[in-house]
Amino acid sequence: MTKTRSARLPQPLPYATQIAFFSRLREGNPHPVTELSYTNAFTLLVAVALSAQATDVGVNKATKALFASVSTPQQMLDLGLDGLTEHIKTIGLFRQKAKNVMALSQILVDGYGGEVPTSRAALMTLPGVGRKTANVVLNSLFGIPAQAVDTHIFRLGNRTHIAPGRDVDQVERAIEDNVPAEFQQNAHHWLILHGRYICQAKRPRCAVCIVADLCPYEEKTT
């Protein structure tokens, strides 16, 4: 599990600063969405499960042909393990991920009538589905303000003091506790995209960052 280096966490940004921070992100991208390609709840669940330790771009390339013919758990079972493996072989850990997708598809058919459940607890019983994957599905499909914390959000939450935490669970709780309610639904999308394209790990693009003046990060780039 990812941890911060500091033994003492900073205080989250003040409420008024949080409002200003997210207002600017919203102005720049009023309706943020996941960059994973999908056609329905099942294909999003599969795409997010496949995206662990892989890029969204790589997953989208691998699933383009797959999702053109497979959109339900039963169709995935009909495709079979070998067929799925052939589609996703360019993705990291593809063999284990293929087994997980086949297993979760069987569970959805047997236990949920082929539908994706709408509770985090139920989602997390599926093979290959952790809390982050469940939160993406809950947020993107069912309108629940769940916070899917990945490495980008973990870094950004601590670097900007939006949501400091020693691990991803603490950062998730910090977002829920500190980000103003009006921004909760889209907070994780804005933070992921900002971390992916602007507040990057090795060399953050502070010169073009629209919230740079609100960010306490001391090692700003020019």
Side-chain angles (χ1 to χ4, degrees), residues 181-192:
E182 66 179 294
F183 304 110
Q184 285 281 332
Q185 180 61 45
N186 291 318
H188 95 273
H189 288 300
W190 284 317
L191 294 175
I192 285 173

Side-chain angles (χ1 to χ4, degrees), residues 8-188:
R8 183 175 181 179
L9 292 174
Q11 290 296 310
L13 291 181
Y15 184 79
T17 307
Q18 297 257 4
I19 290 179
F21 188 101
F22 283 100
S23 293
R24 293 184 193 178
L25 295 183
R26 180 173 61 187
E27 183 177 353
N29 187 1
H31 305 290
V33 295
T34 178
E35 293 188 317
L36 287 169
S37 298
Y38 65 97
T39 61
N40 59 15
F42 175 67
T43 55
L44 178 61
L45 175 64
V46 171
V48 181
L50 295 177
S51 70
Q53 300 183 46
T55 66
D56 288 0
V57 172
V59 172
N60 289 341
K61 288 181 180 179
T63 58
K64 183 177 181 179
L66 174 65
F67 292 162
S69 59
V70 173
S71 61
T72 69
Q74 186 59 59
Q75 289 174 344
M76 188 67 75
L77 294 175
D78 293 342
L79 176 65
L81 179 61
D82 291 342
L84 175 58
T85 301
E86 183 64 24
H87 276 287
I88 68 170
K89 63 184 180 181
T90 58
I91 300 175
L93 306 176
F94 69 94
R95 295 189 189 280
Q96 184 58 51
K97 290 177 180 179
K99 292 178 182 177
N100 287 339
V101 170
M102 298 307 295
L104 71 83
S105 296
Q106 190 69 63
I107 292 172
L108 292 179
V109 168
D110 293 343
Y112 298 95
E115 299 295 324
V116 175
T118 60
S119 81
R120 182 187 289 117
L123 286 167
M124 289 179 64
T125 65
L126 300 174
V129 177
R131 188 177 181 89
K132 185 186 77 171
T133 298
N135 283 349
V136 171
V137 173
L138 293 173
N139 183 289
S140 297
L141 286 169
F142 304 126
I144 298 172
Q147 307 302 329
V149 178
D150 68 350
T151 55
H152 296 299
I153 294 183
F154 179 80
R155 177 179 68 254
L156 197 62
N158 282 286
R159 181 181 280 173
T160 65
H161 299 183
I162 281 290
R166 292 187 176 86
D167 54 43
V168 293
D169 292 335
Q170 283 192 355
V171 170
E172 180 182 337
R173 289 193 297 270
I175 294 173
E176 293 172 346
D177 291 343
N178 297 290
V179 173
E182 66 179 294
F183 304 110
Q184 285 281 332
Q185 180 61 45
N186 291 318
H188 95 273

